[in-house]
Amino acid sequence: MSPPRLSALIVARNEEQRLPACLASVVFADEVVVVLDRSTDGSADLARAAGAVVLEGAWELEGERRNAGIEACTGDWVLEVDADERVSPDLAQAVRRVIGESGFAWHQVMVDNYVGDRLIRYGWAGSFGTTSVPRLFRRGAKRWRAQRVHPGLDWVGQQGPRIEQGALVHLVDRDVSDMLRRLDKYSSAKAADLLESGNIGSLAANLRRFVSRAFKSYVSRKGYREGAWGVLLAFCTGAFPLLSYLKARLEPERHGGPK
């Protein structure tokens, strides 16, 4: 039997600065598919020059965009990588080994999160950041739900052991201001999802979530080991659902709600 084929899937928008390094890190895959959502820079030319299959279009929802990319892949397995991520050599080796041996449908991989040049190992929690993600899966096993930010997932098949060797190197934010801009962007998209669902929640519930999520980040996920960075990360983690709710409640017209 021939070895299973691996597709690397990259979804991006105007990422010509970071895309080359991402593409270079997935050369071990049998196929590279790059989905470009409303990109106006040189990303398409860079991807084609690297030998990637390029799918260009416009998708309102993140889930729909990612599903389009999965459907364009032809490999037996798919490894999803964002443009601000790089596959470490150790992870590349582990992925090749796992797809040749695994009887499971999908696996989590480890993530090393960087803010600027600093590796922040502790404190990632909730939807603001994570230390492992379900990115390696058999084609047909994973489908994203129709949501704008951090869409949910539907799976077919059984989860396998997490891949502990190597990691996705995630260049999360450039600095503190970048992290706060990401919080603003994510919460605006989440506010639109809340309004579309018809249930934005309550102030009391989201205040409780602020406390519980910040506690989880700083204490349970050991963010205190990162010093002041852990405090900032706990604040952003807790603030995300609360800020999303407040935008949906106070400014619905700015986020797709009734005027």
Side-chain angles (χ1 to χ4, degrees), residues 67 70-71 141-145 152-155:
N67 287 335
I70 292 172
E71 291 167 6
K142 180 180 185 179
R143 185 159 187 84
W144 293 86
R145 296 175 189 164
L153 293 168
D154 294 315
W155 294 98

Side-chain angles (χ1 to χ4, degrees), residues 74-123:
T74 63
D76 303 294
W77 287 80
V78 178
L79 176 65
E80 279 187 285
V81 185
D82 290 341
D84 60 356
E85 297 171 341
R86 288 91 180 90
V87 180
S88 72
D90 285 346
L91 178 58
Q93 184 180 46
V95 165
R96 274 298 183 190
R97 173 180 53 78
V98 168
I99 67 173
E101 303 172 351
S102 177
F104 297 95
W106 55 285
H107 297 265
Q108 296 247 356
V109 301
M110 300 296 292
V111 182
D112 283 343
N113 295 292
Y114 282 82
V115 177
D117 294 329
R118 181 187 176 90
L119 171 61
I120 299 182
R121 295 190 179 278
Y122 301 99

